Amino acid sequence: QVQLVESGGGLVQAGGSLRLSCATSGRTFSSYVMGWFRQAPGKEREFVAAISWSRGSTYYADSVKGRFTISRDNAKNTVYLQMNSLKPEDTAVYYCAAGWPPLTTTSAAYDYWGQGTQVTVSS
């Protein structure tokens, strides 16, 4: 059974940092694109960042570019999202997702999803 398990969320003050982790299990994700999405209350789920396992190519939403960094550890089958200079508008449930290439920002293209982890940024 395929599983994606996020961790690392929490409460942080504006300007602070958090690192989210997404541990994968159940199959080899070496060919997959891994993405992070987020959903704030009353809003649509939105793309945050994505990375390809094989080439390490990355892509970011404009709203997080320069503040967030996505990375992966192939040996641990884990993807990370380092979030710096957090803002109250970054408050949301963050989801990890896996999908086939090519790298895309479209949530419908991702086949597997984690349960989400809450990130709350206070002002």
Side-chain angles (χ1 to χ4, degrees):
Q1 185 176 358
V2 174
Q3 281 192 319
L4 304 177
V5 180
E6 303 98 335
S7 61
L11 173 64
V12 64
Q13 288 188 331
S17 299
L18 283 174
R19 188 177 81 156
L20 306 183
S21 299
C22 174
T24 68
S25 63
R27 67 177 302 159
T28 301
F29 283 85
S30 59
S31 298
Y32 275 70
V33 169
M34 301 298 297
W36 285 98
F37 291 78
R38 66 186 182 186
Q39 188 166 18
K43 294 188 177 181
E44 297 284 323
R45 186 172 297 188
E46 65 174 359
F47 170 80
V48 175
I51 187 168
S52 64
W53 276 110
S54 56
R55 300 182 64 181
S57 303
T58 59
Y59 190 78
Y60 297 92
D62 288 342
S63 59
V64 306
K65 201 172 294 183
R67 300 188 297 123
F68 290 11
T69 302
I70 189 171
S71 62
R72 80 235 190 271
D73 184 330
N74 291 349
K76 296 182 178 180
N77 285 333
T78 300
V79 177
Y80 303 98
L81 185 68
Q82 178 67 44
M83 305 186 295
N84 299 328
S85 302
L86 283 161
K87 305 175 181 179
E89 51 264 44
D90 294 318
T91 295
V93 177
Y94 283 70
Y95 297 91
C96 175
W100 288 106
L103 195 151
T104 177
T105 64
T106 305
S107 60
Y110 289 80
D111 299 314
Y112 304 103
W113 291 82
Q115 82 289 350
T117 185
Q118 177 71 46
V119 171
T120 303
V121 184
S122 63
S123 57

